[in-house]
Amino acid sequence: MALVSMALWIGGVILVVVGVLGARGPFSRMTELDRLADNARRYDSWRGGRRTAAADEGTTGADVMRQVLRRRVLLWGAVAAAGIVLTVAGFVLR
């Protein structure tokens, strides 16, 4: 059983590391997009809110990119969660 537990621990740690490293890039880009959108809203309110109604409707490219990045973060989070499950399973089987 010790060999199986050790394999689960190693596999779990590897999955956690890969999941965290994989989620870092999309998460930082998503927060950057949010920061830029907030900055644009502040600038628009400072300017007097002169945006056209057409610009406020529909989905923008940044919204689509944010959705794609959110899916990637969730995917890598699931990989890290699977690594945590494997690590805990290694302790349970010990």
Side-chain angles (χ1 to χ4, degrees):
M1 269 308 177
L3 188 59
V4 173
S5 294
M6 186 67 79
L8 287 173
W9 292 338
I10 292 171
V13 169
I14 288 172
L15 282 178
V16 168
V17 169
V18 168
V20 168
L21 291 177
R24 272 183 20 185
F27 184 75
S28 66
R29 183 63 183 137
M30 191 170 59
T31 56
E32 179 70 16
L33 281 174
D34 291 339
R35 189 187 65 77
L36 290 173
D38 289 341
N39 190 31
R41 272 189 236 104
R42 279 194 309 273
Y43 177 74
D44 187 45
S45 69
W46 173 77
R47 228 177 45 172
R50 298 183 187 152
R51 296 179 76 184
T52 62
D56 290 337
E57 295 177 7
T59 304
T60 64
D63 293 334
V64 173
M65 186 64 169
R66 196 174 291 112
Q67 291 171 355
V68 169
L69 292 171
R70 187 173 293 120
R71 271 187 257 136
R72 286 183 185 171
V73 167
L74 288 174
L75 174 69
W76 287 114
V79 169
I84 291 170
V85 168
L86 285 179
T87 305
V88 170
F91 283 110
V92 170
L93 291 177
R94 191 171 141 188

